[in-house]
Amino acid sequence: TLWNPLPAGYGTKEDDHALEQYKLFVDSSHKASDRRLSTNSYMLTINSSLLTLMGLLAGLLPDRKPLVLLCAAGVALSAGWLVVLETFRRLNGAKFRVIHQLETRLPANVFNEEWRLLNAYRPMSLTEKTVPRTLIFLYVVLAGILWFWVGSRDDQAKRIRIDSPIRIETVGPVTVTSPPQAQPATATPAQRPVRGRPKP
């Protein structure tokens, strides 16, 4: 279904035109791969920022249960990331199948051979999906920790209201010390007595 029947009077440029189409299609597959890499970088940056925000808020908020909503947002974001990766996997797979058919008119099947050799290893798409799956697991664990978090005694301290006057009762002898007395200031030269003969 890839090759169309040539109309009458098409000429002898079929091979040249097929080569040009092959170049354009290979270039489009490279652009799709670049978009996939930029999407991975973008989603990873968003998840890193979300985890950083959760860490900051966990140290500031006395009640950490609202942070479970951020964990739910992280799970939804990572699940969407998985959907995007699966879409790119299908798109690249379709593109390379077309490239393999185009190579049947060319001297060498370079992409087909590369694809055959890569099948012996773990596909890159499966490796890419490991990151969002790990993040989903991490968000679920964090949600459980935040929901069932038992704070320290400082976190559980209650406000105490004190009305005045305050009455204090002591048991046993109490020693009361007075504040130290201020040292007398040194007299200035104008205040010092003048020694000498008394005036008549």
Side-chain angles (χ1 to χ4, degrees):
T1 59
L2 177 64
W3 301 102
N4 297 320
L6 297 178
Y10 188 84
T12 59
K13 296 291 185 179
E14 178 185 357
D15 293 337
D16 295 338
H17 294 169
L19 181 60
E20 291 298 325
Q21 284 186 307
Y22 175 79
K23 292 179 180 179
L24 291 174
F25 207 77
V26 169
D27 185 62
S28 69
S29 67
H30 289 165
K31 290 181 179 178
S33 299
D34 292 339
R35 288 199 304 269
R36 182 182 64 188
L37 293 177
S38 62
T39 300
N40 289 339
S41 178
Y42 177 71
M43 299 296 283
L44 186 60
T45 301
I46 292 179
N47 280 278
S48 301
S49 302
L50 185 60
L51 289 172
T52 303
L53 178 62
M54 290 174 58
L56 293 175
L57 294 178
L60 297 175
L61 297 177
D63 185 13
R64 296 175 175 86
K65 288 185 178 180
L67 296 179
V68 176
L69 296 176
L70 292 180
C71 293
V75 170
L77 189 66
S78 300
W81 189 1
L82 284 174
V83 173
V84 171
L85 288 178
E86 179 62 21
T87 302
F88 274 117
R89 186 188 71 82
R90 292 181 179 180
L91 177 63
N92 286 341
K95 283 183 175 296
F96 276 102
R97 282 193 293 271
V98 174
I99 290 174
H100 297 166
Q101 294 183 43
L102 287 172
E103 285 182 337
T104 58
R105 296 284 186 93
L106 298 176
N109 299 325
V110 289
F111 282 100
N112 192 14
E113 183 66 14
E114 181 188 38
W115 192 270
R116 185 186 67 81
L117 294 175
L118 286 177
N119 283 336
Y121 303 96
R122 181 181 177 87
M124 187 174 63
S125 59
L126 296 179
T127 305
E128 287 177 329
K129 291 180 180 180
T130 303
V131 178
R133 286 171 179 168
T134 304
L135 288 172
I136 290 176
F137 176 76
L138 179 61
Y139 283 126
V140 172
V141 172
L142 285 177
I145 293 175
L146 294 172
W147 185 261
F148 297 104
W149 177 275
V150 178
S152 61
R153 293 183 179 273
D154 294 336
D155 295 336
Q156 298 176 352
K158 297 181 179 180
R159 181 180 297 177
I160 301 175
R161 180 179 177 182
I162 300 176
D163 296 327
S164 59
I166 301 174
R167 182 179 178 183
I168 301 175
E169 295 182 0
T170 60
V171 179
V174 177
T175 303
V176 179
T177 58
S178 59
Q181 298 293 331
Q183 297 294 331
T186 306
T188 60
Q191 297 173 344
R192 292 176 184 172
V194 180
R195 296 182 181 181
R197 293 183 180 179
K199 293 183 180 181

